[in-house]
Amino acid sequence: MAHTVTEYDTIAAISTPIGEGAISIVRLSGEQSLTIANRIFKGKDLAQVASHTIQYGHIVDPETDEVIDEVMVSVMLAPKTFTREDVIEINCHGGLLATNRILQLLLANGARAAEPGEYTKRAFLNGRIDLTQAESVMDLIRAKTDKAMHVALNQLDGNLAHLIQNLRQEILQVLAQVEVNIDYPEYDEDELTTKMLLEKADIVDQAISELLKTAQQGKVLREGLATAIIGRPNVGKSSLLNYLLHEDKAIVTDVAGTTRDVIEEYVNINGVPLKLIDTAGIHHTEDKVEKIGVDRSRQALEAAELVLLVLNQSEALTPEDQELLTLTKAKKRIILLNKTDLPTALTKTMLQPYLHEGEQPLEISILTQLGTKALERRINALFFAGIETNQNTVMVTNARQIGLLRQAQQALNDVRQGIAAGMPVDLVQIDMTSCWDKLGEITGDSAPDELITQLFSQFCLGK
Amino acid sequence: MKTYDSKTYDVIIVGAGHAGSEAALAAARMGQKTLLLTINLDMVAFMPCNPSVGGPAKGTVVREIDALGGQMGKNIDATYIQMRMLNTGKGPAVRALRAQADKGQYHRVMKDTLENEANLTLRQGIADALIVEDGVCKGVITNTGARYLADAVVLTAGTASRGKIIIGELMYSSGPNNSIPSIKLSENLETLGFKLRRFKTGTPPRVDGNTIDYSKTEEQPGDTTPNAFSYETPDAAYLTDQLSCWMTYTNATTHQIIRDNLDRAPMFSGVIEGVGPRYCPSIEDKIVRFADKPRHQLFLEPEGRDTEEYYVGDFSTSMPEEVQQKMLHSVAGLEHAEMMRPGYAIEYDVVEPWQLKATLETKVIENLYTAGQMNGTSGYEEAAGQGIVAGINAALKVQGKAPFILKRSDAYIGVMIDDLVTKGTNEPYRLLTSRAEYRLMLRHDNADLRLTQQGYEFGLISEDRYQNFLTKKAAIDAELARLENVRVKPTPEVQAFLAEKQVAPLKDGVLGVDFLKRPEVTYADLVRFVGAAPTALDHRVIEQVEIQVKYAGYIRKEEAKIAKLKRLEAKKIPDRIDYSAINGLATEARQKLEKIQPETLAQASRISGVNPADIGILSVYIQQGKIAKVG
């Protein structure tokens, strides 16, 4: 029986509009703010610093030690804060990618995603806001919740909800078996052993891992769309890259440990995250012989989900251009006819044999920035079209779901640890129940007495 | 009937079953002049169904009653014929004590206790109506015309409320075990505005023990290790001469007889209207619902030392007598059994429990309390647990003191009462360990640590016992502190011990507590290496130390959850809140809140259909009211 006690959880949310501005703020409020922030912050011990100070450091995934972002963290202790609770604000680089990963880390480490209007609500409950605002706060909670629920329901549309419900049912049967052994010890029902509990934990864990993998495959929030900029030397790849990097305040991350030691750079195009593949190569090929350019392009293409193929419209099509056009035909691509500031030698009509039905190359001058906004719009459209087509597969997309899945997995870890430590089955069950509760939070299922109903439908009991 | 003015009391209890007995004793011991009315003095604390006390969750309730200064634990300790500890292979949270009672003795000893309690008058009589003035209960009127006045009244009418016994085609008005039913009180309650509903329960046939062939059954003897329900019962009092129970099974023939006669089963022919419990189905119900189960366990339980009657456990039925006999004779060991009493189903009225506060005072009429089976529960322990809470609260109310409310994190009794008053119940309610979300905290071994202090403050715990309790508590704390500081060093003895247990040797010294946390290490092992406590420790102290150290991780998790809940519990909802005036509440939530009238935000959050957004709105509304008042 899960009870929803939400009033005093530590909550987290991204409190700046997504995809706008150079800096985003992820905010924590509640008793556990310091503890949770400390788990993922590498820098000074936040519990030791003075209130209302700002600290420099890094956000690090405690599980993988991966550095997520370079940040400034404000520590504001109760009661002189907006909510009159302990508040931590993490100032990170703008855009979906970093902010979402930070939010996810906070959720995985004990915070709960804030409900709409919840900061304001807390501020009010703690006497920070005056009486006249009360009614509007209530309206806000109701309106936004209904809307949020509507959105959530659409998002959960069938598949994910169904999958989670199946997982919960699997767990529920095990829980009922444990309960029947406890409440009816004299009955000859099969004794549920910790071994069976462990098997079930592994099955559920596997399923959750698969789900979390889809969260990565979806690449909607986490990874960004893998994007390759290709073209023969001197068509403007480097300028395009610089334009994207410059315009969108890219985050440059060294991804160590990959075999090719490539550098990946992330840019944020109006909230759409792009992971640019082999940006080093782009600079590189500009001053190397043509052959290398094509080879590198070929490699970059393999991993790409989006191709930006740059052609120079002031020169005629070369055999190399033709090869690249053919290579990328099966890919999602945008063909850029660059250098419209120079006289035209290559027209759309001349490209026609290489194009898909209805494909529209984009005329652009990166130098004068003519047509660059159109490019951004095109990227946006392609990105969201990609999401649409993915709707039939089960996909975990939002940080709240990912956070809860992580917590469910953590509970399964505790199950395994408890079993390894030789704990009795009814104690190990505490963590199994917690896993079940977390999954229930994803779908919003918390029908009362679910377990007891299961108990009496699964077993024949009584005096 | 011409009425006459009889005596005036502080508290009147109507009904002397398991709830009424505890309520009366609590009120009287708290200094209130108390009247206990019962339909039949020969049925005080009577066990109309199974002759046993305790079991998972229920056994913990008995210990909780004892820690609060109640009687059930002492009474069963004085009258049991068999004692067993259940779930010994599992964790400490779910271990449970169960006793087979000598049913006659249990009744006699409790009656004797009631008779000899100062401030308490035990009297035979049927309460027909309540005296109510301006929504306040002032007393009761009996069928003989006596008017008894009191400042508080506790009703514990049980299955006597418009009771109706059903055996096959036979149906007649009756209380449990063919006693006189209480008819007029039910009618009076309806007139006063209470919502009642019909529940059903049942009991199996009894057979003559001389006619059982025990060789065809499995013996279930009692334990040899001493145990008791009451914290006041010494190990030395443990009964060595115990009676056994016997186990047998139904079979294909039994099931066929039942199936052939389903048209005569009141459960299925539509005669029974009351809702029966899922956890206590009749045997015919089991055969229908679990058709592919080839056999069902049955337990043959002696009803006492001076009787040959055996209770056929798990064979509850309301089949016609003739069919019951055939069913019994098909069972191994019962081929020639003489049926002494047939099983029966009983239908009765219950007060829908959402009409109650957590104190068990009704919301409909002030100074009126209800407890026990009348509130929709089933089981002697559930009844007694409510009884003591109602009795304490009636006394506190008379004394003008703050009420006594057990929270879900305090006791199983708290879980039960919160479930009843918050959710109501659609079937006779039985406590299960799975109903408690903090069951690791609500163990039967720590009921005294949880509740003795409160029992003492009410004056229900003797000074002697209280001092013993304080000593025990101090000993636990001291030993825990010692083990936090003492180190186990990697001496040859320690390494040899670990090698024998087939675990890795110590690399370095470890704290005593950390060593004890290892699954293969017991407290006895530990003291071999770190020495015993300065003063010899009682085994109950050692048990606490072991549990608190070994399960510390899980205990901390539950404590964290409880701490969070406590703050919501602290948020009281004002009495006269107008839910229709709160903008933004969802319709379903508004209706549920109006019906249940929760006392705290925590309770509101447990009502099904009230979602977190509604709780958010409600808390804002309450806060707004407070600010408005201050301003």
Side-chain angles (χ1 to χ4, degrees):
Chain A
M1 275 179 297
H3 292 150
T4 11
V5 182
T6 55
E7 199 84 349
Y8 300 103
D9 290 345
T10 294
I11 51 173
I14 300 171
S15 49
T16 40
I18 287 169
E20 294 165 30
I23 299 292
S24 287
I25 296 175
V26 183
R27 183 154 61 180
L28 274 168
S29 177
E31 264 179 8
Q32 295 292 310
S33 294
L34 278 172
T35 319
I36 295 169
N38 256 339
R39 282 184 197 139
I40 67 163
F41 178 72
K42 213 171 189 175
K44 276 190 187 164
D45 178 358
L46 299 176
Q48 302 299 323
V49 304
S51 182
H52 294 78
T53 58
I54 191 156
Q55 312 297 327
Y56 168 82
H58 291 86
I59 297 295
V60 176
D61 183 337
E63 267 179 43
T64 61
D65 283 334
E66 185 192 351
V67 175
I68 309 299
D69 201 1
E70 186 183 21
V71 296
M72 299 293 284
V73 172
S74 309
V75 176
M76 291 163 281
L77 300 182
K80 284 187 182 169
T81 67
F82 176 59
T83 56
R84 289 212 170 158
E85 300 173 333
D86 289 351
V87 169
I88 298 279
E89 287 185 353
I90 301 171
N91 294 254
C92 57
H93 291 92
L96 274 174
L97 184 78
T99 40
N100 259 298
R101 288 209 60 182
I102 291 169
L103 178 60
Q104 279 171 34
L105 277 180
L106 292 173
L107 299 184
N109 281 281
R112 170 172 67 72
E115 287 157 24
E118 199 169 1
Y119 283 100
T120 320
K121 188 182 102 188
R122 287 188 178 203
F124 174 77
L125 288 179
N126 294 321
R128 178 72 170 66
I129 302 180
D130 85 18
L131 175 63
T132 52
Q133 293 174 28
E135 284 292 318
S136 59
V137 173
M138 283 191 274
D139 288 344
L140 184 78
I141 294 168
R142 170 56 64 200
K144 288 216 176 170
T145 304
D146 285 349
K147 195 175 163 197
M149 270 180 67
H150 186 67
V151 172
L153 283 176
N154 277 350
Q155 217 172 35
L156 281 169
D157 182 34
N159 297 333
L160 177 61
H162 191 67
L163 207 141
I164 299 272
Q165 277 154 9
N166 284 348
L167 280 182
R168 291 191 83 225
Q169 186 58 30
E170 290 234 1
I171 300 174
L172 191 62
Q173 280 169 11
V174 177
L175 295 180
Q177 179 94 41
V178 176
E179 295 303 335
V180 80
N181 294 155
I182 292 168
D183 276 321
Y184 295 89
E186 68 277 42
Y187 276 54
D188 54 0
E189 294 294 348
D190 294 337
E191 189 80 17
L192 187 105
T193 59
T194 46
K195 188 167 160 277
M196 290 155 78
L197 205 55
L198 188 61
E199 280 166 16
K200 189 64 77 170
D202 285 341
I203 292 170
V204 175
D205 197 8
Q206 176 90 39
I208 293 177
S209 294
E210 291 294 322
L211 264 180
L212 283 170
K213 231 183 269 170
T214 71
Q216 287 157 359
Q217 281 166 1
K219 294 177 181 72
V220 176
L221 298 177
R222 282 175 55 83
E223 294 292 318
L225 202 59
T227 305
I229 300 176
I230 63 164
R232 61 185 166 87
N234 293 316
V235 290
K237 295 195 296 289
S238 205
S239 322
L240 175 60
L241 179 63
N242 286 336
Y243 165 79
L244 292 174
L245 293 179
H246 177 72
E247 276 302 297
D248 297 282
K249 305 101 192 169
I251 307 144
V252 182
T253 318
D254 286 355
V255 181
T258 52
T259 49
R260 287 180 301 150
D261 194 24
V262 296
I263 292 173
E264 289 174 354
E265 297 185 55
Y266 293 93
V267 297
N268 183 329
I269 309 293
N270 295 332
V272 172
L274 297 187
K275 179 175 77 178
L276 298 177
I277 300 170
D278 192 19
T279 50
I282 294 168
H283 296 291
H284 211 176
T285 53
E286 294 289 7
D287 31 72
K288 290 277 171 169
V289 287
E290 292 184 357
K291 190 65 194 157
I292 296 172
V294 176
D295 281 352
R296 285 202 80 124
S297 293
R298 223 187 267 275
Q299 282 176 12
L301 271 177
E302 274 175 34
E305 290 155 319
L306 173 64
V307 174
L308 302 179
L309 172 55
V310 189
L311 301 173
N312 182 348
Q313 66 94 49
S314 69
E315 293 172 14
L317 217 54
T318 68
E320 203 184 343
D321 287 331
Q322 289 167 358
E323 197 183 339
L324 290 173
L325 277 164
T326 315
L327 270 176
T328 57
K329 192 150 187 186
K331 291 273 177 185
K332 193 178 281 183
R333 68 178 176 187
I334 301 171
I335 298 170
L336 300 172
L337 289 168
N338 191 25
K339 308 197 181 182
T340 51
D341 46 298
L342 298 178
T344 301
L346 177 62
T347 63
K348 285 186 190 179
T349 327
M350 295 158 79
L351 276 179
Q352 209 54 50
Y354 303 97
L355 301 181
H356 307 287
E357 181 87 15
E359 190 177 10
Q360 285 293 330
L362 196 68
E363 288 168 333
I364 191 170
S365 166
I366 298 165
L367 187 71
T368 63
Q369 299 204 0
L370 199 76
T372 50
K373 290 293 166 212
L375 170 63
E376 290 181 12
R377 280 196 297 276
R378 191 72 78 82
I379 291 171
N380 248 278
L382 270 175
F383 178 78
F384 287 110
I387 293 174
E388 299 279 325
T389 55
N390 272 339
Q391 225 172 29
N392 287 330
T393 58
V394 176
M395 191 165 74
V396 182
T397 51
N398 73 41
R400 187 187 76 91
Q401 295 167 353
I402 294 169
L404 286 166
L405 284 171
R406 290 254 165 82
Q407 287 175 26
Q409 253 183 339
Q410 183 56 49
L412 292 173
N413 248 339
D414 292 348
V415 167
R416 271 191 287 265
Q417 275 178 15
I419 292 171
M423 289 294 166
V425 70
D426 53 287
L427 291 187
V428 175
Q429 196 208 7
I430 292 176
D431 292 316
M432 202 67 178
T433 307
S434 156
C435 173
W436 182 62
D437 285 341
K438 291 295 168 203
L439 292 177
E441 275 184 53
I442 294 177
T443 51
D445 286 337
S446 63
D449 300 338
E450 249 178 298
L451 178 58
I452 285 161
T453 306
Q454 178 72 25
L455 190 64
F456 292 118
S457 59
Q458 196 172 334
F459 301 102
C460 178
L461 306 163
K463 62 182 178 184
Chain B
M1 172 64 61
K2 189 172 177 332
T3 63
Y4 70 97
D5 287 333
S6 186
K7 291 189 180 166
T8 298
Y9 294 87
D10 294 327
V11 178
I12 296 172
I13 318 289
V14 176
H18 304 282
S21 298
E22 293 293 348
L25 286 170
R29 288 167 178 171
M30 285 172 75
Q32 310 310 310
K33 195 178 162 198
T34 304
L35 172 68
L36 176 57
L37 274 179
T38 172
I39 287 179
N40 183 348
L41 277 175
D42 299 324
M43 284 183 68
V44 169
F46 182 72
M47 298 179 158
C49 198
N50 54 325
S52 78
V53 166
K58 290 164 172 272
T60 310
V61 169
V62 179
R63 288 257 170 106
E64 289 171 354
I65 292 168
D66 187 68
L68 287 169
Q71 200 60 30
M72 186 174 236
K74 288 176 187 163
N75 207 61
I76 184 65
D77 283 349
T79 61
Y80 68 94
I81 52 178
Q82 187 199 84
M83 187 77 81
R84 278 178 77 200
M85 183 70 87
L86 307 174
N87 285 337
T88 46
K90 303 194 182 81
V94 297
R95 275 170 220 152
L97 199 54
R98 189 174 59 202
Q100 295 299 135
D102 184 315
K103 186 164 162 168
Q105 271 294 92
Y106 190 91
H107 147 75
R108 283 188 293 275
V109 172
M110 184 66 89
K111 182 164 177 257
D112 186 54
T113 305
L114 292 165
E115 286 166 351
N116 289 295
E117 184 64 45
N119 296 329
L120 178 57
T121 305
L122 180 62
R123 181 162 302 157
Q124 187 162 297
I126 300 178
D128 275 353
L130 297 172
I131 303 167
V132 176
E133 286 167 22
D134 298 330
V136 181
C137 188
K138 305 268 180 168
V140 300
I141 305 172
T142 67
N143 63 335
T144 51
R147 290 168 56 92
Y148 295 103
L149 298 183
D151 293 331
V153 173
V154 182
L155 298 181
T156 65
T159 54
S161 296
R162 261 193 307 222
K164 196 200 271 178
I165 283 183
I166 303 141
I167 306 170
E169 293 84 3
L170 173 68
M171 184 156 68
Y172 55 93
S173 180
S174 172
N177 200 38
N178 293 337
S179 57
I180 300 172
S182 156
I183 308 286
K184 290 193 176 157
L185 186 61
S186 260
E187 289 163 4
N188 184 235
L189 287 174
E190 279 180 331
T191 313
L192 290 168
F194 281 96
K195 268 192 87 74
L196 307 183
R197 68 180 294 178
R198 298 291 277 175
F199 273 2
K200 168 252 161 188
T201 186
T203 195
R206 313 298 198 272
V207 296
D208 181 348
N210 290 319
T211 62
I212 296 172
D213 182 353
Y214 296 100
S215 68
K216 293 183 176 165
T217 66
E218 266 171 63
E219 183 169 7
Q220 288 193 316
D223 290 346
T224 48
T225 313
N227 264 303
F229 280 102
S230 174
Y231 290 93
E232 287 185 47
T233 307
D235 285 348
Y238 193 64
L239 188 70
T240 47
D241 172 28
Q242 300 193 11
L243 299 185
S244 290
C245 293
W246 306 85
M247 192 173 72
T248 181
Y249 294 93
T250 62
N251 53 46
T253 314
T254 323
H255 299 189
Q256 196 52 49
I257 295 168
I258 292 169
R259 272 193 287 269
D260 289 346
N261 288 283
L262 276 183
D263 56 326
R264 298 185 69 190
M267 279 300 294
F268 299 100
S269 60
V271 174
I272 290 179
E273 294 161 14
V275 181
R278 287 171 296 177
Y279 53 80
C280 184
S282 59
I283 187 73
E284 48 267 33
D285 206 12
K286 291 184 196 179
I287 305 297
V288 170
R289 279 177 52 207
F290 294 88
D292 48 356
K293 218 173 161 192
R295 63 178 197 174
H296 295 270
Q297 282 168 303
L298 300 179
F299 298 91
L300 307 174
E301 307 171 23
E303 295 219 319
R305 286 192 186 278
D306 54 0
T307 171
E308 281 305 323
E309 277 192 76
Y310 269 71
Y311 172 90
V312 185
D314 285 51
F315 208 62
S316 176
T317 179
S318 55
M319 282 288 196
E321 187 177 81
E322 165 198 11
V323 180
Q324 289 190 27
Q325 239 150 5
K326 277 189 199 150
M327 285 157 54
L328 282 172
H329 291 160
S330 71
V331 173
L334 299 180
E335 292 88 346
H336 306 289
E338 283 291 340
M339 185 168 79
M340 295 179 72
R341 302 176 201 234
Y344 62 82
I346 183 164
E347 265 192 10
Y348 54 99
D349 285 345
V350 299
V351 171
E352 297 238 32
W354 48 262
Q355 299 167 99
L356 308 174
K357 301 178 187 176
T359 56
L360 297 179
E361 186 179 14
T362 73
K363 294 170 191 165
V364 183
I365 289 168
E366 206 185 331
N367 294 354
L368 178 67
Y369 298 75
T370 61
Q373 202 149 6
M374 191 177 199
N375 286 346
T377 59
S378 120
Y380 314 138
E381 304 83 354
E382 284 88 343
Q386 293 169 66
I388 193 167
V389 168
I392 290 172
N393 274 309
L396 290 172
K397 185 86 187 262
V398 172
Q399 294 167 6
K401 290 186 183 158
F404 171 52
I405 293 172
L406 284 171
K407 293 192 289 293
R408 300 184 74 88
S409 50
D410 293 334
Y412 268 98
I413 300 174
V415 171
M416 167 177 63
I417 293 178
D418 182 68
D419 276 347
L420 289 172
V421 305
T422 305
K423 299 173 189 163
T425 181
N426 290 320
E427 63 181 335
Y429 178 99
R430 176 199 154 138
L431 261 177
L432 298 161
T433 65
S434 36
R435 295 195 195 270
E437 50 278 79
Y438 316 112
R439 74 177 167 208
L440 182 53
M441 312 306 288
L442 308 183
R443 305 187 306 270
H444 81 154
D445 60 80
N446 71 356
D448 58 337
L449 298 174
R450 288 184 276 127
L451 300 170
T452 304
Q453 183 65 38
Q454 272 175 311
Y456 176 71
E457 281 161 20
F458 296 136
L460 295 171
I461 294 288
S462 72
E463 191 59 41
D464 252 14
R465 175 165 170 185
Y466 183 60
Q467 289 307 325
N468 286 340
F469 158 75
L470 292 181
T471 309
K472 175 180 175 185
K473 230 175 117 178
I476 296 167
D477 292 345
E479 184 60 357
L480 283 172
R482 183 176 80 101
L483 298 183
E484 286 281 358
N485 288 302
V486 71
R487 290 188 89 79
V488 179
K489 302 199 178 74
T491 60
E493 292 78 27
V494 170
Q495 305 296 40
F497 164 80
L498 292 172
E500 189 196 317
K501 298 278 176 192
Q502 297 183 320
V503 289
L506 283 186
K507 288 198 188 84
D508 229 329
V510 294
L511 286 176
V513 281
D514 292 330
F515 196 68
L516 184 52
K517 275 191 186 126
R518 295 164 161 245
E520 63 280 356
V521 178
T522 65
Y523 178 84
D525 295 327
L526 176 65
V527 291
R528 269 171 54 203
F529 305 124
V530 301
T535 49
L537 297 180
D538 184 77
H539 70 86
R540 292 196 177 94
V541 171
I542 293 172
E543 181 186 28
Q544 285 310 308
V545 170
E546 221 165 9
I547 290 171
Q548 291 187 29
V549 170
K550 281 198 175 292
Y551 307 111
Y554 291 100
I555 290 174
R556 264 200 304 275
K557 273 185 203 173
E558 297 217 331
E559 277 172 347
K561 280 199 273 179
I562 290 170
K564 229 162 80 169
L565 186 74
K566 282 235 162 91
R567 302 175 59 170
L568 267 190
E569 299 281 4
K571 291 216 167 182
K572 301 271 182 254
I573 299 175
D575 273 349
R576 284 184 192 79
I577 191 164
D578 178 5
Y579 288 106
S580 64
I582 304 177
N583 199 4
L585 277 181
T587 312
E588 189 192 354
R590 188 196 317 279
Q591 286 165 352
K592 292 273 177 71
L593 289 166
E594 275 167 357
K595 177 176 155 184
I596 308 289
Q597 297 281 331
E599 292 163 56
T600 64
L601 273 186
Q603 193 192 347
S605 75
R606 289 191 286 267
I607 299 172
S608 71
V610 177
N611 66 38
D614 299 308
I615 294 298
I617 288 167
L618 187 55
S619 64
V620 167
Y621 182 84
I622 293 166
Q623 182 67 27
Q624 177 187 357
K626 278 195 195 123
I627 293 174
K629 248 181 250 162
V630 171

